[in-house]
Amino acid sequence: QVQLVESGGGSVQAGGSLRLSCRASGKVFGLNEFGWFRQAPGKQREFVASIARGNLIEYRNSVKGRFTISRDTSWTTVYLQMNNLKPEDTGVYYCNVAGLGTRLPGDYWGQGTQVTVSA
């Protein structure tokens, strides 16, 4: 089992910044890919960004140039730096991880952290 704990959410005005963190614990050996997803009220959960072994990084188009995903050297913590936030970025942000040999979405999710961007 892998446990994921997110932190760093909050409320900001449009144009502001937030940095989310996700720390993994438990069976963390060989984790292959971390990702961030978000869910706005009344909408389905959507992919935001991911980072895989080999530093393969992907972003959804609407956040390219504004969000940056990174991780620590131990592959147990991943970050999402969010700049120039927009009201449409509002939602609950979830961390997700895929194990050895697998890709996102993986079986393990964090509890989510709320991000609210006001106009």
Side-chain angles (χ1 to χ4, degrees), residues 21-107:
S21 299
C22 171
R23 188 170 67 87
S25 60
K27 292 187 176 181
V28 297
F29 177 78
L31 293 178
N32 186 57
E33 187 174 22
F34 277 93
W36 289 96
F37 292 74
R38 67 188 181 190
Q39 187 166 18
K43 295 188 176 181
Q44 291 201 350
R45 192 171 297 188
E46 63 184 20
F47 168 80
V48 176
S50 65
I51 183 167
R53 296 275 178 180
N55 266 358
L56 298 175
I57 293 175
E58 296 184 40
Y59 298 99
R60 72 179 298 107
N61 286 337
S62 63
V63 308
K64 286 180 180 178
R66 300 188 298 120
F67 290 13
T68 303
I69 190 170
S70 61
R71 49 88 179 174
D72 70 345
T73 55
S74 67
W75 268 99
T76 58
T77 303
V78 65
Y79 307 96
L80 186 68
Q81 178 67 42
M82 306 186 294
N83 297 328
N84 191 20
L85 282 159
K86 302 177 180 181
E88 51 264 42
D89 294 318
T90 294
V92 179
Y93 282 67
Y94 296 92
C95 181
N96 180 246
V97 68
L100 188 66
T102 65
R103 300 298 305 274
L104 297 179
D107 293 333

